[in-house]
Structures are given as C-alpha cells and as structure tokens.
Amino acid sequence: MRKILLTLMIIITVLFGCQNSATEERNDGGFLWKVENEDTTVYLQGTIHVGNEDFFPLNEQIEDAYEESDVVLPEINLNELDVMESQSLMMDLAMYEEGQTLADDLTEDTFVALEEILKENDMGIEMVQQFKPWFMEMLLMQFALEESEYSPEYAVDQYFLDRADEDEKEIRELETYEDQLMVLSGFSEELQLEMLEDAILNYDEMVEDLDEITAYWLNGATDELSASGEDEESIEGYEEYMEEMNTNRNIGMADTILEILTEDSGQTYFVFVGAMHMVEDPSIVSLIEEDGYKVEHIY
C-alpha cells in the first residue's frame, strides 16, 4: 500500500516525459532556494519522489539547510498517514460503478495492449478491470518503478521526513493525502482515458523517462526540467491537467509560505516539495517573488 501512496506523488513527472539531456554532471541533488523576512528564513527545496541509496547524502548546502531548520514542510506527511482510512478512500474513488469496466471505455487495441502489460507483470485483466483510468495509470507507473533502479522508499521527500521524525523537528503538511487523491481522481473521464492511453502507448519508455528525470534533479538542471513538458502542450486536456496538478497547488502552497514569512516568527523553515513545483510557472518561487520577496537560488 505504501508504494501505491508514494507512486501517487510522481505521476506528473513521468506523464509529460523528458526530451532533453542534462549537460552538467553534478550528481548530488539540486533545486534549493532561500527567502528571508527579518529574522525568518525559509528554504525551498525541490525534490524528486523516487531515489536509491546512492542519492545520499545530498549536497552539503542542502544538508545544512535542513539542519538549520526548526520546522519542515512536506507536501504531505506519509509517516502520519492512516493507511486503512486512506486505502478505503482510494478504493471508493478508484472503482467504477457496478457493471462498468475499462473494456467499456478503451479501444479494443488499447485494451489488448493493456492486457499484455498486465500479463508481463503476472496480473490478469480480470483483477483490475473495475478500476478507473486514473488508478490504472498509477498501477502502470508502479510496474515501471519496479523495473527501474529507483524506489519511492528512497524518495528525497521520505529521506527528509524520516530524518525530521528522528530529529523531532516540527512537521507541517502543505497539503493532505486526501487533497492529492481528489485532484487525481477528479479529472474528466475523457482526460483520464487520454492519460491512460498515453501511458499504455509509452509504457516501454517509462523507465528511460525516470532515468532522465533523476539526471535532471541530480544535476540541478532547472531549465531542462521546466522545459520537459513543452512537447506535450498539444495534448487535449493538457491545460486542465496542469492547472489542477501544478498551478492551483502551487498557489495554495505559496500562500502558506507567504503567511509564514508575514508572521516573522524568527524560525527557520525547510520546505521540500516536488521540483516541478519550483520551476513550472506559476511556480512557488515565482509566486513568492511576485509578492515582493527576493528569492535567492542557492543550489
């Protein structure tokens, strides 16, 4: 169940793929910004939601920013998640109404291709055909992760969460698991099908996409990551997807950070969210800058 919950957080990154190559080899993580207001400091760390043991420790500046912090702010705190409650909510949102299946919505060729992918992963279509497209897309992502050298269990987010628990730092969620689940399950049926069909068609490229995304992150290639979705802008429903997955969420997270800066508590905060939220406009960084603050790109 934990793997499925973690997979929920990485769909946006692989969905739009990566078409460029990071040109600078750095290999110790990137995407760190800093904003201050009087005695209050907020570090903004863009993360990647997968990883492996070789990722750690991260760059010294990132590690120091975490060490300095009094409070950490992840997207969600998976360590405090009620798994049974969350699983129940997910299943309620993931299942078709009785009598309807994926076979009713997918074209015959796409359905056959999905059957082949499932067969390769020792799963029969009869086990999953009651699941809606958004959930099936997530399942395909999980298959790809299992074929890769990465795991959500070594996600940079999880690394900081576990350390924060060990160090007894205060943890404040910027969102909730329910928030993220409602976004993913709330897209129109047409868009859900389009995204699933795209995932089926490009299933064999998912592992390669993960390799490129991790290279961007490890090398701090902000421009490449920001540009990674440009080739997908012609996809019908792209604007709907990005508005919900990126724009609206960034506005909400930025508002919380701005409130912290306004409070001027004198504490140091360490925000860590998916790197796309820091580079895809309107990004958290750009929204804070628009409010009049100077945001320094540290690393």
Side-chain angles (χ1 to χ4, degrees):
M1 182 63 191
R2 171 170 286 275
K3 288 183 178 181
I4 289 290
L5 300 182
L6 288 164
T7 303
L8 180 68
M9 300 175 65
I10 68 171
I11 286 179
I12 186 173
T13 313
V14 177
L15 174 65
F16 294 111
C18 292
Q19 306 300 326
N20 305 297
S21 297
T23 57
E24 179 185 356
E25 288 297 328
R26 202 171 69 189
N27 250 13
D28 58 356
F31 299 66
L32 177 67
W33 288 262
K34 178 181 180 180
V35 56
E36 297 176 296
N37 184 38
E38 297 184 6
D39 294 330
T40 299
T41 299
V42 178
Y43 288 101
L44 305 169
Q45 173 63 52
T47 66
I48 187 168
H49 300 317
V50 294
N52 58 42
E53 291 178 311
D54 294 337
F55 277 34
F56 310 105
L58 301 172
N59 177 268
E60 184 178 355
Q61 294 181 83
I62 298 172
E63 297 284 356
D64 287 348
Y66 165 80
E67 291 289 349
E68 290 176 23
S69 66
D70 304 295
V71 182
V72 300
L73 294 93
E75 291 181 33
I76 58 176
N77 185 358
L78 286 170
N79 289 353
E80 293 295 322
L81 200 64
D82 186 321
V83 175
M84 294 298 292
E85 182 179 326
S86 300
Q87 184 176 24
S88 176
L89 175 60
M90 178 182 282
M91 290 301 99
D92 286 345
L93 295 170
M95 302 289 286
Y96 276 117
E97 294 183 5
E98 187 173 355
Q100 186 178 4
T101 70
L102 273 171
D104 299 321
D105 292 329
L106 293 175
T107 65
E108 183 177 351
D109 289 346
T110 306
F111 189 78
V112 169
L114 176 60
E115 284 185 298
E116 288 298 315
I117 294 171
L118 292 169
K119 185 178 179 180
E120 292 171 7
N121 290 276
D122 300 317
M123 186 176 291
I125 189 68
E126 67 280 354
M127 299 173 62
V128 296
Q129 62 182 343
Q130 288 81 27
F131 289 124
K132 292 181 178 179
W134 71 269
F135 187 84
M136 284 303 305
E137 181 190 352
M138 206 162 58
L139 185 60
L140 297 187
M141 177 65 67
Q142 181 59 45
F143 291 156
L145 279 172
E146 291 172 356
E147 293 178 13
S148 77
E149 60 182 281
Y150 312 107
S151 168
E153 295 179 10
Y154 287 102
V156 177
D157 313 71
Q158 193 62 50
Y159 169 74
F160 285 124
L161 273 176
D162 290 343
R163 288 188 61 189
D165 278 340
E166 182 178 344
D167 297 337
E168 298 184 346
K169 290 182 185 285
E170 181 183 351
I171 301 174
R172 297 185 196 172
E173 290 183 315
L174 288 168
E175 300 180 313
T176 67
Y177 170 74
E178 290 76 11
D179 291 337
Q180 294 191 354
L181 192 60
M182 294 303 292
V183 169
L184 276 177
S185 63
F187 292 115
S188 65
E189 292 183 10
E190 292 79 11
L191 182 54
Q192 287 187 42
L193 281 170
E194 185 178 10
M195 296 305 184
L196 175 58
E197 289 168 355
D198 183 73
I200 294 170
L201 179 65
N202 296 294
Y203 176 75
D204 292 337
E205 300 173 10
M206 282 187 178
V207 174
E208 181 181 347
D209 288 343
L210 279 169
D211 287 336
E212 293 185 344
I213 290 161
T214 55
Y216 289 156
W217 190 82
L218 288 168
N219 296 335
T222 54
D223 291 342
E224 285 88 342
L225 183 62
S226 180
S228 64
E230 289 179 355
D231 290 346
E232 309 300 333
E233 292 181 4
S234 61
I235 290 180
E236 187 176 349
Y238 176 88
E239 290 185 4
E240 175 192 348
Y241 189 90
M242 291 303 290
E243 181 176 5
E244 294 299 327
M245 286 294 285
N246 195 72
T247 302
N248 291 343
R249 293 174 63 203
N250 289 356
I251 291 171
M253 290 188 280
D255 284 347
T256 299
I257 296 165
L258 288 168
E259 288 177 9
I260 288 171
L261 289 166
T262 302
E263 290 170 1
D264 188 29
S265 66
Q267 291 185 301
T268 297
Y269 299 81
F270 185 77
V271 174
F272 53 102
V273 301
M276 188 69 78
H277 295 293
M278 299 297 183
V279 301
E280 181 68 26
D281 286 332
S283 67
I284 291 173
V285 171
S286 68
L287 289 165
I288 293 173
E289 288 177 330
E290 286 175 11
D291 207 66
Y293 291 95
K294 179 181 179 181
V295 183
E296 180 185 1
H297 189 186
I298 299 295
Y299 189 74

